[in-house]
Amino acid sequence: MSWFVNAEGGLTTAGYGAGILLMLVCLLAGLVLAGRSAGKQGMGVRQLAFCAMAVALAYVTSFIKPFKLPYGGSVTLLSMLFIVLVANWYGVRAGVLVGFAYGMLQFLQEPYVLSVFQVCCDYVFAFAALGLAGLFRGSKKNGLLTGYVVAVLARGIFHTLGGYLYWMDYMPENFPQSLKAIYPIIYNYSYLLAEGLITVIIIKIPAVEKALERVRRSAVQ
């Protein structure tokens, strides 16, 4: 493990290389499986292009942080929405795959390693969970909105689990004992729900709704 993680919990050069390699292998495997499940040899060029654009936009907007918490987590410029859009267009499999790719980019951007399962909770499972928005793909009314809310809540579950299992051990000795049972929930959902609320307000603006519908039609035609 020391080959890949330094004493501060960050990644070494070998760690970055292994992370990139793992992401590429998993993405290729996911693309093959997604294609087979759809009765095709692979995703269509249009779908691949829209998925790639969604990951790129999510990654770029994740750097724009109007509010950032001291122990990790921040309100970003609608970064989760782009992953949810893919799930809404193409279903759960594509959404989970794109969410996984985005999570790995987040890990490579700001890595912190306490254990393999902690990395899975904070990066792999949490961001892949955004793909659950695809469960509401067929909903004729408010499918995107419902899927987005469920995706945000699902992501929060894994961050909260990581908080209980790992991060609470790093709280100061004078941290109130009465708050330990609920602090990971409050901490993680504070920034997730704040960004979620802002995003919901924006996507319910009539002009934005029409623009998103035009993009959806272009993505799925």
Side-chain angles (χ1 to χ4, degrees):
M1 194 74 170
S2 59
W3 290 359
F4 305 107
V5 181
N6 59 37
E8 290 74 33
L11 293 180
T12 63
T13 301
Y16 277 107
I20 293 171
L21 180 61
L22 176 63
M23 179 177 68
L24 292 176
V25 169
C26 291
L27 281 175
L28 287 174
L31 289 173
V32 171
L33 292 174
R36 288 180 178 177
S37 67
K40 305 175 182 178
Q41 292 185 353
M43 288 184 179
V45 174
R46 180 183 295 273
Q47 185 172 342
L48 284 171
F50 273 94
C51 288
M53 285 190 291
V55 173
L57 287 170
Y59 187 62
V60 169
T61 53
S62 72
F63 284 93
I64 305 174
K65 303 175 181 178
F67 182 75
K68 185 175 181 179
L69 294 181
Y71 301 109
S74 57
V75 176
T76 68
L77 185 62
L78 314 182
S79 64
M80 291 186 289
L81 175 61
F82 299 104
I83 308 302
V84 169
L85 285 174
V86 168
N88 182 257
W89 298 336
Y90 304 125
V92 174
R93 289 188 184 90
V96 169
L97 181 62
V98 169
F100 166 78
Y102 176 53
M104 289 301 294
L105 288 175
Q106 287 292 307
F107 174 60
L108 296 174
Q109 174 190 345
E110 294 180 326
Y112 200 90
V113 180
L114 297 176
S115 76
V116 173
F117 190 66
Q118 171 264 322
V119 171
C120 288
C121 284
D122 286 341
Y123 300 98
V124 179
F125 298 152
F127 290 102
L130 295 175
L132 294 178
L135 293 172
F136 304 90
R137 177 188 179 192
S139 301
K140 294 183 178 180
K141 185 176 181 180
N142 293 324
L144 175 60
L145 178 61
T146 304
Y148 181 83
V149 172
V150 169
V152 171
L153 295 176
R155 177 186 166 185
I157 290 173
F158 290 106
H159 286 312
T160 300
L161 177 61
Y164 279 119
L165 294 178
Y166 299 100
W167 296 108
M168 286 304 295
D169 293 339
Y170 292 83
M171 291 295 102
E173 292 184 0
N174 61 351
F175 187 83
Q177 294 296 315
S178 59
L179 292 179
K180 282 192 172 182
I182 60 173
Y183 185 72
I185 299 174
I186 296 174
Y187 184 92
N188 287 290
Y189 278 106
S190 64
Y191 66 88
L192 289 174
L193 293 180
E195 179 175 334
L197 178 60
I198 294 171
T199 304
V200 168
I201 292 173
I202 290 175
I203 64 178
K204 292 304 292 181
I205 296 174
V208 175
E209 281 189 305
K210 291 180 180 178
L212 290 176
E213 178 59 21
R214 286 197 296 268
V215 175
R216 186 193 68 80
R217 290 177 181 175
S218 178
V220 301
Q221 70 179 15

